[in-house]
Amino acid sequence: MSRQKLTGFSFVINIYEREKEMLYSSANCGSGKTHSMIQLISINKNFYNGKVIFVQPKKENLLESEIQFKAKGMTPHIIDEDHLTEEMTSVAKGLYSYILKRKIKKTDVLLVTHQSFLKHMVNMGNITNGYHVVFDEVPQESFGEFTLSLSTNKDILLKYIQTAPSKNQDFFVLKPIDRVQMNTCMTTEGEDEINDKLRKLFEKLLNEKHYTVEIRKDVWESFKKNKRNGRNNVSFITHFYMLPEIFDDFLNVHFLSAKFEESDIYHIFKELGVSFVEKELPKLQYKEHENITHTFIRYCMERDFSKTMRSYECLNQKTIIQNILDISRLNMSPDDKQLLVLNKDMIDGDFKEYKLPQNSELISSYVHGLNGYKHIHNITFAASLNYRNTQADFLHDRFGLSYEDIDKSFLFSSTYQAICRTSIRDKHDDSHRLITVPDYRSAVYVQEVLGIP
């Protein structure tokens, strides 16, 4: 397999009244794109004038960036649940107070998580008009699915939801019948079991400036006719996707993400009319992986791995997932450490039914951008992050994505990001390195993206 040059992207969204443009620059997850952007902001503090919002996946990312910004002479301000003062009784009030009540210094930079930005900042209106936003990695809330099975409460949805035309003839757009009534029905979490199930869907429907919710016409018609499934429930499956208008109230928005052209946001925004123009991000450490002389990739099965397959028994009477865990330690000495990536439901479980390999550090599948593991050379990615068939079919039928592109947009992206937490992100470290993935398709992608012949 020929060596591939790696590309990552820094996108800048400049919002105009009738036109949207995104600029991107070639980079790489292992090339220090976040550090380069921090350096760029620090050097150009007169241009940003203290109006920069740095948005990262997790609190751990914010803490790492805080250190880097301070080292550059900047004044970073983290606002999340762990950094609230007595005056800031909530994240929302803290962010609002930061924007409106402080005396701006050119060295200021606000650090928030993806969740805080999308929950609070996008709803502040034009008070953020002068702000530059830098997204480190794309937000996971750009696309999702709501699946409900309601045996006796079908009429609740029909009471609050109506359909409107979609740009695709096979789908309806869902909208509230009465916005005030829908908002009123969302009781406090825990007070009403049915409303708890509907809350996230209703929040997206009420936020129609930022998200669109769509449903297949045949699914909607079956739902209205009370057509029941094998469990005697009425199925209701809808999908939501983010709109470019979510960024209208900001001066510009940058996206820093390896392989951004493979992301859901890229494909969806492009179909919605956003154009893309390339622009360089200066002072990258390197643009391709060169420390791969002693890096080896191995996979465990030819078939595509999935969550349902985890519990299948093999000829040795062990489950597939247990065999993957056992294989992960082959050709390693007892002292060799490895990162182990599992699905959230396995991490949250008690592991009584699994024998975890020794000397393995368990990490989430969403560890984008973290630097705390680069002393570890080996990694086993044993999580299944396939989209459900209904999600993949929606992206394929609604936005024209190929199923290969759909795999790249989430599963492969997360696999690559996890691998780039290891010592491979240090261009001077060419240690012996074992990368274990569940299936052949993942191994081929990793081989290509790392540039291993």
Side-chain angles (χ1 to χ4, degrees), residues 424-441:
I424 203 168
R425 69 186 294 102
D426 181 354
K427 66 178 181 179
H428 302 296
D429 191 331
D430 196 16
S431 301
H432 184 274
R433 191 176 290 115
L434 284 174
I435 299 171
T436 306
V437 293
D439 51 30
Y440 176 74
R441 59 175 175 167

Side-chain angles (χ1 to χ4, degrees), residues 68 129 164 217 279 319 382 396:
Q68 293 185 47
N129 273 346
K217 287 184 175 178
K279 190 173 183 179
T319 61
H396 177 271

Side-chain angles (χ1 to χ4, degrees), residues 79-324:
I79 297 183
D80 63 19
E81 292 83 356
D82 298 331
H83 292 78
L84 296 178
T85 64
E86 291 183 2
E87 296 80 20
M88 298 179 181
T89 55
S90 68
V91 172
K93 289 182 179 178
L95 293 172
Y96 188 82
S97 177
Y98 177 89
I99 297 295
L100 283 186
K101 297 180 180 180
R102 68 193 177 95
K103 292 182 179 179
I104 298 176
K105 297 182 294 185
K106 290 183 178 180
T107 56
D108 285 342
V109 56
L110 174 61
L111 305 181
V112 297
T113 61
H114 287 186
Q115 183 180 15
S116 289
F117 182 88
L118 294 174
K119 186 175 182 180
H120 304 298
M121 300 218 69
V122 296
N123 297 311
M124 287 189 174
N126 59 15
I127 65 172
T128 55
N129 273 346
Y131 276 82
H132 308 262
V133 179
V134 178
F135 258 100
D136 186 10
E137 306 302 339
V138 295
Q140 290 188 313
E141 276 284 288
S142 59
F143 164 73
E145 177 183 86
F146 297 108
T147 302
L148 301 170
S149 292
L150 305 175
S151 57
T152 58
N153 296 279
K154 176 177 71 75
D155 291 340
I156 260 187
L157 287 171
L158 296 178
K159 178 181 178 182
Y160 293 116
I161 297 175
Q162 61 184 331
T163 60
S166 165
K167 290 184 178 180
N168 186 301
Q169 62 180 5
D170 295 325
F171 294 87
F172 284 130
V173 173
L174 295 182
K175 293 182 175 293
I177 293 175
D178 186 315
R179 297 177 62 83
V180 174
Q181 187 182 37
M182 178 178 283
N183 191 60
T184 302
C185 87
M186 292 197 300
T187 56
T188 303
E189 190 169 355
E191 289 185 0
D192 187 301
E193 180 181 354
I194 298 301
N195 285 346
D196 284 348
K197 290 182 179 180
L198 300 178
R199 181 176 290 101
K200 289 184 178 180
L201 168 62
F202 283 8
E203 285 175 349
K204 289 291 187 296
L205 288 168
L206 290 168
N207 195 8
E208 57 188 336
K209 177 187 174 185
H210 297 159
Y211 293 92
T212 291
V213 180
E214 295 197 8
I215 190 170
R216 292 182 181 276
K217 287 184 175 178
D218 57 344
V219 172
W220 177 256
E221 294 303 327
S222 295
F223 176 72
K224 285 201 306 180
K225 292 177 182 177
N226 205 34
K227 189 173 181 180
R228 296 176 179 269
N229 59 25
R231 296 183 178 181
N232 202 33
N233 290 333
V234 181
S235 295
F236 182 80
I237 302 174
T238 65
H239 300 87
F240 71 87
Y241 54 89
M242 184 184 289
L243 299 173
E245 287 80 3
I246 198 170
F247 302 118
D248 277 353
D249 293 324
F250 301 91
L251 183 60
N252 58 57
V253 178
H254 303 233
F255 280 91
L256 303 175
S257 179
K259 313 295 284 183
F260 186 86
E261 283 182 318
E262 296 177 357
S263 69
D264 291 332
I265 278 187
Y266 175 84
H267 291 294
I268 292 172
F269 279 18
K270 193 171 181 180
E271 199 277 340
L272 295 175
V274 176
S275 60
F276 297 86
V277 180
E278 185 171 9
K279 190 173 183 179
E280 287 189 15
L281 183 65
K283 297 189 177 180
L284 292 171
Q285 294 178 30
Y286 57 97
K287 293 187 178 181
E288 60 183 27
H289 293 284
E290 297 176 349
N291 55 335
I292 53 172
T293 308
H294 307 295
T295 297
F296 301 90
I297 303 167
R298 56 190 178 185
Y299 64 95
C300 303
M301 54 194 295
E302 296 287 338
R303 293 174 61 188
D304 294 350
F305 181 60
S306 67
K307 253 187 177 182
T308 56
M309 294 183 69
R310 288 191 322 206
S311 58
Y312 289 3
E313 279 198 0
C314 303
L315 293 176
N316 62 358
Q317 278 76 56
K318 292 183 180 181
T319 61
I320 285 178
I321 187 62
Q322 186 61 64
N323 276 307
I324 292 175

